[in-house]
């Protein structure tokens, strides 16, 4: 249990880290690259229009920030950069803005008549660009930072590929300070579970603490093993697109993980029914040895939710890791409850052994009444119920336990009963070569069928490790059905598909698109 002394120790650590000097930095802590004034206005206007706001307000807001005279001097087709400079974490940040303005004297004159003068901003002439910088009113720009900003901006080459690109480069001092802040948050959250009467939705406080410990440990590990983050956003062809590029620290467990994710899934793109409400093709390689303790601890903390502890949890973890490396295809529909179909292709291990192990540990985990913490109150497995194309088909029937803590959350039981008739998950499995096919009862044939027709929503290539699509409108319709409500008319016949992608090369890249029509529907429904 966290004590007052823990908070005092962590507070001291945070304060110590806050005073850590970043004087050796020769670049901003955070950078925001902007493709151009024109692209920024166009994208901001499109987003504002999608949410029912006056698109012309975007230009008025930008002019209000800089002043109309300064805006008139900007080359609207050239890129900008905003930088956040800090020598210490307890210091007010200094903001630098690189503007494509060639006439420095005209800029100075315009700045004197703008809000920039009142804020005490300073200006530098960088040839065909102007650099303005300053801190919060009353704060003093540290000695030597002017020259550092001048040197950085004079050598700066800007060529953003998206409308907005945000970059953050981590170093040891920043990681240490951020880790201390996470430790503080963790201690506060864990201590809350020791308070009398705390609501843990039916789970024991000890279980919640163990889960939170695992949750925070994962993010601390990722923080310590991440070198750089870069977020990009853009509006194109009626979609809001985004990407997050995460570069690992060389030689770290995270770097090992990224390099081990080398399963090519391009050959399975045509096996996916991309018209499904949810569809995904995914591949996953082996996990690095350095992450094994973290993975084991995470699994041990989660498995009790399913009535699995100790050796039983360890066996599940062992079987799941035995499936690696693998690649698979999954299709899900919400049209009549929730139905699914797909397959998992085992690449190294014996698929027959993995298949038998799955059924064995599933049987051991769920047969009979089971304790209240079991996620399923009953699991029935019937072997060889029929044949399909000469292969033996097995049937699995799993009854969701209404007493499970997760079922005590508001409307959760109603949701699961809407998804699965009578609260029972019933599906079939069949082993064919290296592939384990599975589908909701009555849908197995569709797992083998070639979908044809629709192409992948985004380009798939050799570095793609996951590609998926979600029809958000279908999920909304399912939610409305569970709540016994009708969908707003704005969502009628709306095909609003959110796409998401994970790529692995030297870094881990997460990207996706959201159609502006989805924002428009929400705006119209208000």
């Amino acid at each position: 249990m966290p004590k007052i002394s823990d908070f005092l120790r962590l507070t001291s650590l945070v304060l110590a880290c806050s005073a850590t000097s970043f004087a050796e930095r020769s670049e901003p802590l955070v950078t925001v690259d902007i493709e151009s004034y024109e692209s920024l206005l166009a994208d901001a206007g499109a987003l504002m229009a999608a949410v029912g706001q006056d698109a012309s307000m975007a230009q008025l807001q930008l002019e209000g920030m800089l002043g109309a005279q300064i805006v008139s001097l900007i080359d609207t087709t050239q890129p900008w950069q905003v930088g956040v400079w800090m020598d210490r974490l307890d210091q007010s940040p200094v903001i630098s803005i690189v503007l494509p303005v060639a006439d420095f004297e005209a800029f100075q004159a315009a700045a004197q008549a703008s809000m920039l003068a009142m804020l005490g901003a300073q200006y530098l002439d960088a040839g065909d660009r102007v650099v303005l910088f300053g801190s919060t009113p009353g704060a003093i720009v540290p000695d030597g930072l002017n020259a550092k900003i001048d040197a950085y901006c004079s050598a700066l080459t800007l060529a953003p590929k998206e409308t907005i690109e945000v970059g953050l480069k981590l170093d040891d001092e920043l990681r240490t300070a951020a880790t201390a802040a996470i430790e503080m948050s963790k201690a506060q959250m864990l201590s809350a579970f020791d308070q009398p009467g705390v609501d843990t939705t039916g789970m024991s406080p000890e279980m919640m603490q163990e889960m939170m410990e695992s949750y925070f440990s994962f993010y601390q590990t990722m923080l310590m093993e991440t070198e750089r983050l870069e977020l990009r956003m853009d509006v194109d062809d009626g979609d809001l697109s985004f990407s997050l590029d995460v570069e690992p620290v060389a030689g770290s467990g995270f770097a090992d993980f990224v390099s081990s994710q080398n399963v090519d899934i391009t050959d399975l793109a045509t096996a996916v029914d991309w018209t499904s409400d949810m569809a995904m093709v995914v591949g996953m390689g082996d996990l690095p040895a350095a992450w094994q303790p973290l993975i084991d601890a995470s699994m041990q903390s989660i498995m009790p939710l399913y009535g699995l502890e100790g050796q039983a949890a360890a066996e599940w973890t062992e079987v799941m890791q035995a499936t690696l490396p693998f690649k698979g295809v999954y299709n899900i529909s919400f049209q009549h409850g929730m139905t699914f179909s797909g397959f998992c292709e085992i690449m190294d291990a014996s698929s027959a052994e993995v298949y038998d192990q799955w059924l064995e540990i599933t049987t051991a985990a769920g047969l009979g009444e089971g304790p209240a913490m079991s996620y399923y109150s009953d699991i029935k497995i019937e072997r060889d119920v029929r044949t399909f194309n000469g292969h033996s088909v097995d049937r699995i029937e799993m009854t969701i336990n209404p007493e499970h803590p997760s079922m005590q959350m508001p409307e959760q039981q109603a949701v699961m009963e809407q998804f699965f008739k009578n609260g029972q998950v019933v599906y079939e499995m069949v082993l064919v070569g290296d592939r384990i096919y599975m589908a909701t009862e009555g849908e197995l044939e569709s797992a083998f069928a070639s979908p044809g027709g629709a192409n992948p929503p985004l380009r798939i290539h050799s570095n793609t490790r996951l590609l998926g699509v979600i029809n958000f409108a279908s999920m909304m319709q399912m939610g409305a059905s569970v709540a016994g409500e009708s969908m707003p008319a704005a969502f009628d016949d709306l095909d609003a598909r959110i796409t998401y992608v994970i790529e692995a090369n030297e870094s881990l890249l997460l990207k996706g698109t959201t159609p502006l029509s989805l924002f428009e529907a929400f705006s119209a429904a208000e």
Side-chain angles (χ1 to χ4, degrees), residues 249-492:
V249 172
S252 66
F254 183 25
D256 291 343
F257 170 78
V258 172
S259 64
S260 69
Q261 300 314 300
N262 53 10
V263 176
D264 190 338
I265 59 175
T266 53
D267 61 316
L268 297 187
T270 56
V272 185
D273 181 1
W274 295 112
T275 65
S276 299
D277 294 327
M278 291 181 64
M280 177 173 65
V281 55
V282 60
M284 189 169 185
D286 291 315
L287 300 175
W291 274 17
Q292 199 61 51
L294 181 67
I295 294 165
D296 290 342
S298 177
M299 296 302 295
Q300 288 287 341
S301 71
I302 294 172
M303 283 302 177
L305 282 175
Y306 301 93
L308 298 168
E309 297 185 81
Q311 184 60 32
E315 289 174 357
W316 263 104
T317 303
E318 182 180 341
V319 172
M320 284 190 283
Q321 293 197 32
T323 65
L324 303 176
F326 82 94
K327 53 186 174 181
V329 164
Y330 306 96
N331 305 301
I332 298 175
S333 171
F334 300 118
Q335 299 307 308
H336 304 287
M338 188 175 87
T339 59
F340 64 91
S341 66
F343 63 83
C344 172
E345 182 176 321
I346 310 300
M347 301 178 67
D348 283 352
S350 165
S351 55
E353 290 182 7
V354 170
Y355 186 92
D356 289 338
Q357 287 176 325
W358 275 4
L359 293 180
E360 182 180 343
I361 61 175
T362 299
T363 303
L367 282 177
E369 292 296 323
M373 283 304 297
S374 293
Y375 190 78
Y376 299 103
S377 59
D378 190 24
I379 297 179
K380 297 177 181 177
I381 298 177
E382 300 175 77
R383 303 299 300 261
D384 305 328
V385 295
R386 65 186 180 96
T387 59
F388 177 74
N389 288 348
H391 300 282
S392 176
V393 176
D394 299 321
R395 182 181 184 273
I396 297 90
E397 180 182 298
M398 311 172 80
T399 303
I400 297 172
N401 182 6
E403 302 301 319
H404 189 267
S406 65
M407 294 297 109
Q408 311 314 307
M409 293 185 283
E411 299 185 355
Q412 182 65 21
Q413 189 168 342
V415 169
M416 298 309 291
E417 290 179 353
Q418 183 78 19
F419 279 169
F420 307 108
K421 186 177 180 180
N422 300 323
Q424 291 183 318
V425 183
V426 183
Y427 63 99
E428 295 179 319
M429 292 176 59
V430 59
L431 175 65
V432 180
D434 291 331
R435 292 182 178 181
I436 300 172
Y437 288 84
M438 60 190 72
T440 304
E441 189 173 37
E443 300 290 332
L444 187 61
E445 284 73 10
S446 66
F448 288 86
S450 177
N455 292 319
L458 295 175
R459 189 172 71 89
I460 187 169
H461 51 75
S462 60
N463 291 333
T464 304
R465 302 296 171 250
L466 182 149
L467 174 59
V469 61
I470 300 174
N471 188 333
F472 196 81
S474 291
M475 295 186 66
M476 291 282 293
Q477 289 167 354
M478 171 62 77
S481 176
V482 169
E485 300 176 356
S486 58
M487 283 286 291
F491 289 91
D492 289 346

Side-chain angles (χ1 to χ4, degrees), residues 226-261:
T226 295
E227 182 74 23
R228 181 176 176 81
L229 298 169
E230 188 165 295
L231 173 67
R232 305 182 185 94
M233 298 182 68
D234 189 51
V235 174
D236 189 34
D237 293 333
D239 291 325
L240 172 64
S241 63
F242 70 90
S243 67
L244 177 63
D245 200 354
V246 187
E247 178 186 340
V249 172
S252 66
F254 183 25
D256 291 343
F257 170 78
V258 172
S259 64
S260 69
Q261 300 314 300

Side-chain angles (χ1 to χ4, degrees), residues 41 44 48 54 56-67:
L41 273 186
M48 294 181 73
D54 184 356
S56 65
M57 290 299 295
Q59 182 171 355
L60 293 176
Q61 289 172 356
L62 285 170
E63 289 182 354
M65 292 168 56
L66 295 173

